[in-house]
């Protein structure tokens, strides 16, 4: 059976620069079935779902629903739900957790502050605190958005959970169905495509040591897509795997051409040239698409180190 994921894999479509963008992730446990627009098409009150969408708009916060791997029969509303918030910008990375009887309490959060990396209202409104368990592995399994997420994502989530991996959740949407199974790992916010159980385990072990695994990596959700591609290119160029070593400090230009400045915590800077091109040949961008598309891809065409602080400020090497 041909799916958008098999076509993407067969055409060797690059993964870099394809992650969803969010400075902060807000995750609410919601068992049961999910529709394509899960916040308003699930057993969550759709009025609350629309309010959460509106509150997050333009703040850098991305709201998603999560559920434990396994069968999803409707056993009624859970009395207590898990809630997570994670900020992914290097230098200010955190992962907080809380429990709530009333998901409506999420509307008491200051979404703009969450997007900036301030977790004060998460802690006060939900009595949240630092997450002390293992890193989170969120696997997209929402077959109502794309059948690949169910066909490939749900078995991956189940295999990870069955093998004893802690912190595994199914999630409603991570973008890029054609890269299924897709996974987001928190707290650092790096996304992975075409994931397999052994690679996810390797990624999680790396995160516990503060390291980023580059194989299969789509990029960090902290950055827009040109920045994602640029940061990964610098990592590969210098062999850097420390999770918070690199930051995108400037992006100039616009589609189809950007100049991205990436900074290292040791003071080094790089100028990365990123070009947006159309993937060829045309293909289904998602299962069930009525027309073929040419999805945009981020190609890194140059990486050069900026030698002095003055050169960085002047924008020349």
């Amino acid at each position: 059976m041909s799916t958008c994921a098999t076509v993407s894999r067969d055409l060797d479509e690059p993964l870099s620069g394809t992650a969803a963008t969010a400075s902060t992730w807000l995750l609410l446990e919601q068992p049961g079935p999910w529709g394509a627009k899960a916040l308003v098409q699930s057993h969550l009150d759709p009025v609350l779902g629309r309010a959460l969408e509106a509150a997050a708009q333009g703040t850098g916060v991305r709201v998603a629903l999560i559920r434990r791997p396994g069968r999803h029969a409707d056993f009624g509303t859970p009395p207590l739900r898990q809630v997570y918030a994670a900020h992914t910008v290097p230098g200010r990375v955190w992962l907080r957790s809380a429990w709530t009887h009333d998901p409506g309490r999420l509307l008491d959060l200051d979404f703009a502050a969450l997007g900036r990396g301030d977790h004060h209202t998460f802690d006060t409104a939900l009595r949240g605190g630092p997450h002390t368990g293992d890193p989170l592995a969120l696997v997209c399994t929402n077959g109502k958005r794309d059948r690949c997420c169910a066909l490939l994502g749900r078995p991956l989530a189940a295999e990870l959970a069955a093998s004893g991996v802690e912190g595994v959740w199914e999630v409603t949407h991570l973008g890029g169905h054609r890269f299924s199974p897709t996974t987001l790992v928190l707290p650092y916010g790096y996304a992975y495509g075409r994931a397999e159980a052994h690679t996810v385990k390797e990624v999680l072990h790396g995160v516990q040591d503060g390291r980023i695994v580059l194989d299969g990596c789509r990029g960090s959700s902290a950055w827009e897509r040109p920045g994602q591609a640029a940061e990964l290119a610098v990592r590969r160029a210098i062999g850097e795997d420390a999770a918070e070593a690199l930051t995108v400090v400037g992006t100039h230009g616009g589609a189809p051409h950007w100049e991205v400045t990436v900074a290292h915590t040791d003071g080094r800077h790089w100028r990365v040239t990123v070009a947006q091109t159309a993937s060829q040949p045309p293909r289904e961008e998602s299962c069930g698409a009525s027309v073929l598309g040419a999805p945009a891809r981020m190609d890194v065409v140059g990486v050069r180190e900026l030698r002095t602080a003055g050169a960085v400020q002047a924008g020349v090497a």
Side-chain angles (χ1 to χ4, degrees):
M1 176 179 62
S2 178
T3 64
C4 65
T6 58
V7 170
S8 177
R9 186 187 295 268
D10 290 345
L11 292 174
D12 198 24
E13 184 178 354
L15 295 167
S16 177
T18 66
T21 300
S23 60
T24 302
W25 292 82
L26 180 61
L27 309 169
L28 171 65
E29 183 179 4
Q30 178 57 63
W34 297 332
K37 297 180 179 179
L39 282 178
V40 296
Q41 296 176 334
S42 70
H43 291 170
L44 183 70
D45 181 353
V47 174
L48 173 58
R50 282 190 289 271
L52 289 171
E53 287 181 333
Q57 187 71 32
T59 65
V61 177
R62 189 177 180 111
V63 184
L65 303 181
I66 56 174
R67 63 191 178 195
R68 292 292 186 183
R71 298 182 63 86
H72 305 302
D74 180 11
F75 296 112
T77 301
L80 198 59
R81 305 181 195 221
Q82 179 76 66
V83 187
Y84 295 105
H87 189 65
T88 63
V89 177
R92 305 197 303 275
V93 169
W94 47 256
L95 175 59
R96 316 291 284 187
S97 66
W99 295 88
T100 185
H101 293 279
D102 177 12
R105 295 296 301 274
L106 271 65
L107 293 177
D108 295 333
L109 300 176
D110 183 336
F111 281 76
L114 281 176
R116 295 191 302 267
D118 179 355
H119 53 70
H120 177 72
T121 60
F122 185 87
D123 294 347
T124 56
L126 299 175
R127 297 183 180 178
H131 173 66
T132 57
D134 290 339
L136 303 185
L138 310 176
V139 182
C140 185
T141 63
N142 190 351
K144 293 297 185 181
R145 290 194 69 94
D146 192 284
R147 61 179 175 172
C148 286
C149 298
L151 292 174
L152 301 174
R154 290 193 65 189
L156 173 62
E159 181 180 354
L160 289 168
S163 65
V165 177
E166 299 291 338
V168 179
W169 293 86
E170 298 186 7
V171 68
T172 47
H173 185 45
L174 296 177
H177 323 295
R178 62 191 184 280
F179 303 122
S180 293
T182 61
T183 304
L184 178 76
V185 177
L186 295 174
Y188 298 118
Y190 283 81
Y192 292 83
R194 303 177 188 134
E196 298 179 2
H198 68 91
T199 57
V200 175
K201 292 176 183 179
E202 181 184 354
V203 169
L204 292 172
H205 287 312
V207 168
Q208 289 177 322
D209 295 331
R211 296 184 297 103
I212 300 303
V213 172
L214 294 182
D215 289 347
C217 191
R218 300 173 61 193
S220 166
S221 72
W223 317 124
E224 298 292 336
R225 291 183 177 182
Q228 295 172 15
E231 190 245 19
L232 291 179
V234 173
R235 283 190 178 278
R236 292 190 171 96
I238 66 173
E240 181 60 77
D241 66 356
E244 297 186 74
L246 298 177
T247 300
V248 174
V249 296
T251 301
H252 301 283
H257 183 276
W258 296 267
E259 296 289 336
V260 181
T261 304
V262 178
H264 196 288
T265 51
D266 65 11
R268 287 179 292 167
H269 289 70
W270 292 263
R271 185 66 44 77
V272 183
T273 303
V274 180
Q276 178 179 298
T277 58
S279 299
Q280 297 296 332
R283 79 287 305 273
E284 290 184 1
E285 295 187 57
S286 62
C287 292
S290 57
V291 296
L292 299 181
R297 52 185 281 174
M298 296 293 160
D299 292 326
V300 172
V301 297
V303 178
R304 59 190 176 95
E305 186 173 353
L306 303 178
R307 296 295 179 181
T308 67
V312 172
Q313 293 172 359
V316 297

